[in-house]
Amino acid sequence: MKVTIERANLVKALTHVHRVVERRNTIPILSNVLIRAVGNELRLKATDLDLEVTESIPAVVETAGGTTVPAHMFHDIVRKLPEGAQIELATRADGATLDIRAGRSRFSLQMLPESDFPDLTAGAFTHTFQVPAAQLKRLIDRTQFAISTEETRYYLNGIFFHAVEAGSDLKFRAVATDGHRLAQADVVAPHGCEGMPGIIVPRKTVGEVQKLIENPDASVTMEVSDSKIRLTFGEVVLTSKLIDGTFPDYGRVIPQGNDKELKVDRDEFSAAVDRVSTVSSERGRAVKLALSEGKLVLSVNNPDSGSATEELAVDYDQDPIDIGFNSRYLMDIASQLETGTAVFRLADAGAPTLISDIGETGALYVLMPMRV
Amino acid sequence: MPSGADPSHITGPFCRDCLTPATAPRCRACGSPRLLKHPQLHELAIAHVDCDAFYASVEKRDDPSLADKPVIVGGGKRGVVSTCCYIARIHGVRSAMPMFKALAACPDAVVIRPDMEKYGRVGREVRRLMLELTPQVEPLSIDEAFMDLTGTEALHRASPAVSLARFARRVECEIGITLSVGLSGNKFLAKIASDLEKPRGFSVIAPSEAMDFLRDRPVSFIWGVGKATQAQLEREGIRTCGQLQTADEAQLMRRYGVLGRRLARLSRGIDDRVVEPDRETKSISAETTFDADISDFPTLEKTLYSLSEKVSGRLKKEGVGGRIVTLKLKTPDFRQLTRARQIGDPTQLADRIRRAAIDLLRREIDGRRFRLIGVGVSDLEPAERCDPPDLVDRDAEKRAKAERAMDQLRGKFGGRAVELGIAYRPDVTEEATPQRDRPMPQRRDNADKPVGGRR
């Protein structure tokens, strides 16, 4: 293989694909990125066996061929080469070394054979549709924080995407929960997603998709089967396994009859929670919300260090109620809200509370209270 | 045994049996040769107290016919020696030795299954007598503890050395077992001292003589130096504490980091750790050794049910729960492997401990045989923070309620009043299910009741 590429193109592509490669690998080939020169392009591919990212960039191909080299080191080398450099990649005749030349810099990297590189066979996809990148990004942004990290509940370690009928409309919905909080976000269903299976997209894949959305005005092609998903962002193609499990019936979790409504300025609320939680201990992050007519008193009491209270003027006219929440979870949710006012719908101190924007934004959050 | 004179007058050597001043090779009052003599005897206040062959001593106390027989306390035909009496030790039996080896060395030994509840009771009696001397008692296990007797002279009208000798005598008379005392100025030296004269020993090492005392001892004498460190030091030609004494502390730290500092200081007998009475429990665990090595999942799984219940019971009793569940397995060649899993919220429920442990076990099942399995819970937190209600796992609350109801029944009617059905599932024996036919473990099921979602 012998090929010449512009540094900017190679950096961009390696930045996209190298993130998939785990820093520590027991299988050596998984530390490598596959590069293959064909026609007038260079194709790159990286995988962790669950997730695969490929990208093609324009290149001047003198001799076609392919090999694999350590992904992070290759990325670092290319990244440090001067801007505007023309990079020449050439495999030596011994089949063991790749020479990298740019200007006066010379590197040689050990290769592993291309034939050892694993392939994430995608199989046939049953549903294909186009989603505006901005909408996909919104679905992820709103729900990602609630993904569970508990391995025992592996079926919560991702975002649940599915098509759902809401009235006469069809929505494309993302849901994530860790048992303490739940986040749900909707966008108008893209044409072609009707009848798609509900899929759980793993946390790592979700994070990569989010980073790969660079242009919000573009559109992303989504292909789905019941075990894999493929997303195409122009020249970049991401293929991932799905979590093989059943997402719980989250509909039962979303409270319907909570009648105590509180409206509070989102930023004031978030800042006040942040302030009072300063005295909370690392572990017990409970903040108490004492609600009475027109008034919300936030307080934290930490027997080891001290206490804090703060009073906020709020829109509330129901019976007084005391309820506790994890302060970090409150701030996480507040930062997701899109309108300046947060609406809480409460039932009692032990029941899940519904939090949303004022008006209809297609996103809602459920938070489990804590004992205080 | 004479009652002894007022011990507050003792300022020099004294007799451990009658607590009177004594100078001759034998006590003039009672004729005992057990005299305590040391220039700094009455200035030292940190002690390490260790019961002699504790389990075996308790068994001998309760059955006088065992008095002159070799006694081994340990589990089953497969287990290991927990403790053996001094007669058995003469024959070469050691604790942690596999039972078959012990019985080969000492075929006449009387083997007794450990009765942990009884030992716990006796251990607590000893602890109570310790606490009469000082509140500064740091238990290391059921039968040994560090004690700091600094400032107790006025209260007991006796120096720490005399108080300890009196305590040892009381334990012998009132509880009926013997123990050994090590007295020094710090924990490290006290622990070494208690081991010097076992059984019924009382040894004194003053910090000022530590350098001489340690000079020719192997590096393994130092607390924290195990096989690996010993081998590492050996490679660099360091075998004795004396070699470490001559090395520069900064030099050792540069080479070995934090351990280097410990090597430098402990080899010189310097140890500034204080006696901590309420060192927190860090983890709670239970394990069992099988009569035959086991490789099949259902049998191992079933064992995890009872172990998880045991651990959960202890967590509940202590009012704590933990967020890390650890599975421990030992292969027939005694190699140990542990696998840990962090769970979202701390738990004290057998159900959650078991689920995590079984999940960890499932990944290890590949035909390998195991001789031991254990479960532990660590990263402990108070019970109030444990097992908060969950949004999606509604059944968790039901299971928790069922478990608490079972706990109540057990509290009322005894430990085996209620058991899970799985406890009655017959074991799958190795012969009944040859390896090639054994079904693969089932794919894990969701804990949450699925309703919506995929197909």
Side-chain angles (χ1 to χ4, degrees), chain A residues 156-170:
Chain A
L156 298 182
N157 297 165
I159 296 181
F160 181 52
F161 286 95
H162 59 307
V164 62
E165 277 177 44
S168 57
D169 296 341
L170 193 65

Side-chain angles (χ1 to χ4, degrees), chain B residues 36-108:
Chain B
L36 269 181
K37 209 165 93 180
H38 191 280
Q40 285 162 280
L41 180 61
H42 300 289
E43 295 161 27
L44 303 169
I46 309 284
H48 178 253
V49 174
D50 190 6
C51 296
D52 303 323
F54 182 57
Y55 300 170
S57 303
V58 173
E59 295 298 346
K60 287 197 177 196
R61 176 194 75 166
D62 293 347
D63 181 358
S65 73
L66 296 174
D68 53 358
K69 296 198 177 80
V71 169
I72 295 176
V73 179
K77 63 178 176 200
R78 268 293 301 272
V80 292
V81 175
S82 298
T83 315
C84 55
C85 74
Y86 285 86
I87 303 174
R89 287 186 202 192
I90 294 170
H91 294 277
V93 182
R94 294 285 174 269
S95 51
M97 188 183 255
M99 196 57 85
F100 71 92
K101 269 192 189 168
L103 287 175
C106 182
D108 309 333

Side-chain angles (χ1 to χ4, degrees), chain B residues 284-350:
Chain B
I284 286 179
S285 59
E287 59 184 49
T288 185
T289 303
F290 299 117
D291 285 339
D293 299 329
I294 290 178
S295 67
D296 81 287
F297 182 71
T299 310
L300 292 167
E301 182 194 27
K302 191 172 120 179
T303 316
L304 284 180
Y305 269 77
S306 60
L307 290 175
S308 302
E309 277 181 6
K310 221 183 231 176
V311 170
S312 160
R314 287 180 54 201
L315 288 166
K316 287 168 188 158
K317 207 163 150 192
E318 304 258 336
V320 292
R323 62 172 82 223
I324 295 176
V325 174
T326 307
L327 173 76
K328 174 172 155 184
L329 292 162
K330 214 177 250 180
T331 56
D333 55 352
F334 290 89
R335 227 169 303 176
Q336 179 178 312
L337 57 113
T338 56
R339 297 287 179 265
R341 156 83 49 95
Q342 180 155 10
I343 48 177
D345 298 292
T347 188
Q348 50 176 203
L349 297 176

Side-chain angles (χ1 to χ4, degrees), chain B residues 332-376:
Chain B
D333 55 352
F334 290 89
R335 227 169 303 176
Q336 179 178 312
L337 57 113
T338 56
R339 297 287 179 265
R341 156 83 49 95
Q342 180 155 10
I343 48 177
D345 298 292
T347 188
Q348 50 176 203
L349 297 176
D351 180 64
R352 290 188 69 201
I353 298 167
R354 173 173 61 232
R355 276 166 196 275
I358 288 175
D359 212 34
L360 291 168
L361 173 66
R362 200 171 270 124
R363 291 154 194 248
E364 301 304 323
I365 295 298
D366 54 5
R368 267 179 304 171
R369 291 160 170 268
F370 301 105
R371 68 188 321 271
L372 173 146
I373 188 167
V375 186

Side-chain angles (χ1 to χ4, degrees), chain B residues 73-189:
Chain B
V73 179
K77 63 178 176 200
R78 268 293 301 272
V80 292
V81 175
S82 298
T83 315
C84 55
C85 74
Y86 285 86
I87 303 174
R89 287 186 202 192
I90 294 170
H91 294 277
V93 182
R94 294 285 174 269
S95 51
M97 188 183 255
M99 196 57 85
F100 71 92
K101 269 192 189 168
L103 287 175
C106 182
D108 309 333
V110 180
V111 178
I112 300 173
R113 281 231 172 214
D115 178 354
M116 296 313 292
E117 211 168 299
K118 180 162 80 179
Y119 310 144
R121 224 164 35 235
V122 179
R124 279 191 293 279
E125 284 176 53
V126 177
R127 185 83 38 85
R128 190 175 53 78
L129 293 184
M130 288 179 183
L131 288 166
E132 283 185 20
L133 289 188
T134 171
Q136 298 299 108
V137 176
E138 178 184 328
L140 292 179
S141 70
I142 187 172
D143 67 329
E144 66 176 310
F146 284 117
M147 297 169 72
D148 183 352
L149 284 98
T150 310
T152 61
E153 291 88 344
L155 177 67
H156 300 310
R157 297 168 56 78
S159 69
V162 175
S163 294
L164 286 163
R166 187 162 48 191
F167 157 76
R169 204 177 66 175
R170 270 188 80 184
V171 172
E172 275 184 36
C173 300
E174 294 175 22
I175 300 175
I177 57 163
T178 63
L179 48 77
S180 297
V181 178
L183 179 62
S184 182
N186 64 46
K187 281 163 67 163
F188 172 59
L189 294 175

